[in-house]
Each structure stands twice: as C-alpha cells, then as structure tokens.
Amino acid sequence: MKVLLTGGAGYIGSHTAVVLLEAGHEVVVLDDLSNASVESLRRVEELTGRTVAFVHGDMVDEALVERTLTEHAVEAVIHFAGLKAVGDSVRRPLDYYAVNVGGTLSLLRAMERTGVRTIVFSSSATVYGESAPTPYLEKMPRDAANPYGRTKEQIEDVLGDLGASDPSWRIALLRYFNPVGAHPSGRIGENPRGVPNNLVPFIAQVAVGKREKLVVFGDDYDTPDGTCVRDYVHVMDLADGHVRAMDYVAGHEGVHVWNLGAGRGYSVLEVLASFEKAVGRPIPHEIGPRRAGDLPAFWADPSQALTDLGWVAETPLDQMCADHWRWQESNPHGYAD
Ligand code: WQD
C-alpha cells in the first residue's frame, strides 16, 4: 500500500518507515522537522534501498495534506506527528491542543475529502491516568492526568466518534508504553532536541559524554529497588506493531485499540545496569528527588495485540540497551554528525 507517515522523520516514524518499505509498501513522509532531521529519511533509504517521498510541511495545513494524499495516491495514514513531552505540555498546553488535536482534525478533514479512510494513530499509555491498576488493559477507563495525555485521549475520542459516524473508517489506536532502542545497524535512532526528558536517551547522552551524570528521580517508591518501573519496548518491535495494525484495519472496519508494550516492567536502576553492560563501564549517576507526576510502576497487558495481530514484543532489555548504545556511540551528536 501507499502509506503516508505524518511525523515520519522522527524516532518511531523512521523505524516504521524501514519496516513498511521492507514489507513492500511505499512511503510518503509529511514532517515539519520541528523535532526531526531529514537525514533520518536519507538513512532509511540507505538501509532499505528504497526511496521515501518527503513533504516538508505542517499537518495543520489542510490544503497541503490534501495535495499530498491526492498526488501520492495515499491509501493509509500512520499518524505520528505531535508534541509529546508531559512536562512541556503542562507549561504550554495551548500549543499541545493546537498541534496535537487541531493538527489531527486538519489531517482527518483532508482524509475525509480525499476518500482516505484508514488511519493508525500513535496514542499513549498516558491515557490510563494515575488510578488504573497494573497491568493496563485496553478496556480500562481512561483518565489522563496531564495536557499531553489529554490530547491523546481527546484524539482517541474524535476517532471513536468518526468511526461510529461512518463505518467506512478503519481506525487503529496504538497505546505505546516506553519506546527505546534503535535499528540494529545503528544508522537511525532517537535524536531528541535539547535535554532529553526520557530515561534511556538521557543515559545514552551521559555515556557518550554529552551530559555529566544521570539523576535518578527518586529511589523511595514502593517498588523492588525503590525506583520506578516501566514497560520498555524496542522501537523495532513497536514499528512491527504499526505495520501489523495497519494490515489488520485495512481488512476490518471500525475502531480498534491495542496496547503496544512488552507486558513486563524494569526499574530505572535495572535499565541503568543494563546500559552499563552495553557500554562496558559504569555510568555516572546520583539519586535525586522524585519528578512530579511520576507513577511508581505500570506496564501493559499486551494479550489483545497478540490475539488480533500476532504481535509480541520480546526483545530483551540488554538487546534494547545494546542497540540504543550502538546508535548513540556511532552518532554522538545524533543526525548532526
Ligand atoms: C521513565 C523513568 C523517571 C529521566 C514518558 C511519557 C509517556 C511516553 C514515554 C510519550 C521514570 C525516570 C527519567 C531521568 C529518571 N511518552 N527518569 N531520570 O515518564 O514513563 O513516560 O515517556 O508517549 O507519555 O510520560 O518515561 O523515560 O521520562 O521516565 O530517573 O533523567 O525514568 O522518573 O521513572 P515515562 P521517562
């Protein structure tokens, strides 16, 4: 199929582009490059020997999206584009609602006008909120506790209402847990702008000498070693999940939701120890105060994705850290190298 990836030059988008191209699909990327580098797409082409059509623009530009869908005869959309930092969303909620919700409405309007009815949406485990019992199940109520999570929840509602209003829509909502790792070649990987919010890219930048030390945000939680537990999932497994979900909804009308997590948790100190194994030396760190909003522990129940999609994320933590490190070590400055 001809697939449009919004935000496709980004971390998960670029890895999904590789899996799509290797499965024989054609890929068009629309990206405003606000948090991505077009170099990632050049390397996707290098890795796959296939070409990627690139449109530099903003999904909020309905006319541009419509032209892109028509000119490239797009048959399905995988929608990654959006702002995604929880703390940042608390500081500037209006930007998050304008970009994430407003941008998605523009995209959907353009799809409606051009007759493209298949979409896979990048949602997040953050929609489950602070009171959901672990492991998270798709049927659990949502109760996002920050503006970023609320934009994801609202977009899920928009897509749910759209699917209910017109049965020709084929919609997949994918709730990510904690994506980490990189393509095994080390040629593409996570390339956050500025100071990384997330644990593994921060550890990787300490290991490569770009940051002085890791601060562990609290070791007094009610968990086995006192540090928070999360469901880390390899980005290549996540990419595979997107292609399987797209193939599934291409044949099943309506709205479908799946957790994309491994179904088990690792603590901050376990991740750090695994990364130190990959690097081959200790990584400077200290215990600091808790970060506001962090939950002690959560992970996915991914059994629905296994049943419906045959999807399972079983890449072990050491492999995720080794792949992440190979990318960071060979690209100390990300795509700027
Ligand atoms: C993981 C653990 C931190 C950095 C977030 C978003 C979620 C999703 C994934 C988009 C926590 C600890 C972190 C550091 C630390 N993003 N940590 N020192 O918070 O589980 O999820 O990213 O969909 O929506 O909420 O991921 O990587 O930020 O943190 O100790 O410098 O690492 O406290 O326990 P999180 P994270």
Side-chain angles (χ1 to χ4, degrees):
M1 282 202 284
K2 289 206 163 188
V3 189
L4 170 66
L5 307 187
T6 70
Y11 176 38
I12 301 165
S14 55
H15 286 79
T16 303
V18 169
V19 177
L20 282 166
L21 291 164
E22 287 178 344
H25 297 288
E26 294 182 56
V27 168
V28 186
V29 167
L30 172 68
D31 203 307
D32 65 3
L33 300 183
S34 60
N35 191 28
S37 160
V38 73
E39 172 64 14
S40 69
L41 300 180
R42 199 195 61 71
R43 297 191 187 186
V44 166
E45 293 185 324
E46 168 200 299
L47 287 168
T48 58
R50 303 277 311 281
T51 55
V52 173
F54 174 57
V55 177
H56 185 187
D58 189 328
M59 63 182 165
V60 85
D61 180 347
E62 269 183 53
L64 173 65
V65 178
E66 223 172 294
R67 269 200 317 280
T68 303
L69 292 168
T70 306
E71 285 169 11
H72 294 275
V74 169
E75 298 163 89
V77 174
I78 303 184
H79 178 29
F80 296 103
L83 300 174
K84 66 165 193 117
V86 170
D88 188 36
S89 78
V90 174
R91 287 187 291 274
R92 56 187 188 112
L94 214 47
D95 292 339
Y96 274 69
Y97 285 103
V99 171
N100 292 4
V101 181
T104 302
L105 293 176
S106 298
L107 169 68
L108 293 173
R109 185 69 80 192
M111 288 176 70
E112 191 178 51
R113 285 202 192 99
T114 53
V116 182
R117 291 288 189 281
T118 301
I119 182 168
V120 175
F121 171 57
S122 157
S123 190
S124 168
T126 310
V127 302
Y128 289 107
E130 301 179 343
S131 52
T134 286
Y136 291 167
L137 288 161
E138 290 88 350
K139 64 175 186 294
M140 284 180 180
R142 299 163 307 156
D143 183 20
N146 55 70
Y148 161 75
R150 279 190 279 275
T151 65
K152 293 294 187 181
E153 195 172 325
Q154 287 174 17
I155 295 165
E156 287 194 1
D157 289 343
V158 168
L159 289 167
D161 289 340
L162 189 57
S165 74
D166 175 351
S168 67
W169 281 90
R170 302 153 187 278
I171 298 169
L173 310 176
L174 302 183
R175 293 174 182 163
Y176 303 170
F177 283 73
N178 292 56
V180 295
H183 187 273
S185 67
R187 294 293 290 153
I188 57 174
E190 189 168 13
N191 182 45
R193 288 231 191 290
V195 180
N197 296 300
N198 297 130
L199 176 67
V200 173
F202 198 100
I203 292 175
Q205 288 192 10
V206 174
V208 82
K210 197 170 176 183
R211 308 279 164 203
E212 183 205 345
K213 63 177 179 289
L214 170 73
V215 175
V216 175
F217 296 148
D219 67 348
D220 57 351
Y221 287 95
D222 181 16
T223 60
D225 65 14
T227 64
C228 295
V229 174
R230 294 288 183 273
D231 183 331
Y232 297 94
V233 54
H234 197 293
V235 67
M236 290 306 290
D237 289 332
L238 204 56
D240 177 55
H242 283 74
V243 179
R244 289 171 182 264
M246 183 187 75
D247 290 342
Y248 182 96
V249 294
H252 295 77
E253 290 177 347
V255 185
H256 311 269
V257 52
W258 292 289
N259 287 331
L260 291 191
R264 47 96 188 93
Y266 290 110
S267 76
V268 174
L269 292 179
E270 285 174 319
V271 172
L272 180 61
S274 176
F275 214 97
E276 289 177 331
K277 240 189 282 179
V279 175
R281 56 181 147 78
I283 290 169
H285 67 280
E286 70 180 33
I287 305 297
R290 292 184 172 191
R291 177 173 70 175
D294 275 344
L295 300 178
F298 62 83
W299 55 89
D301 176 326
S303 46
Q304 199 62 52
L306 177 60
T307 305
D308 296 344
L309 309 177
W311 182 80
V312 62
E314 48 196 11
T315 306
L317 179 61
D318 287 353
Q319 187 61 56
M320 289 193 262
C321 290
D323 289 347
H324 206 117
W325 175 235
R326 187 177 309 107
W327 147 257
Q328 189 72 80
E329 186 181 29
S330 45
N331 301 274
H333 306 290
Y335 290 115
D337 291 342

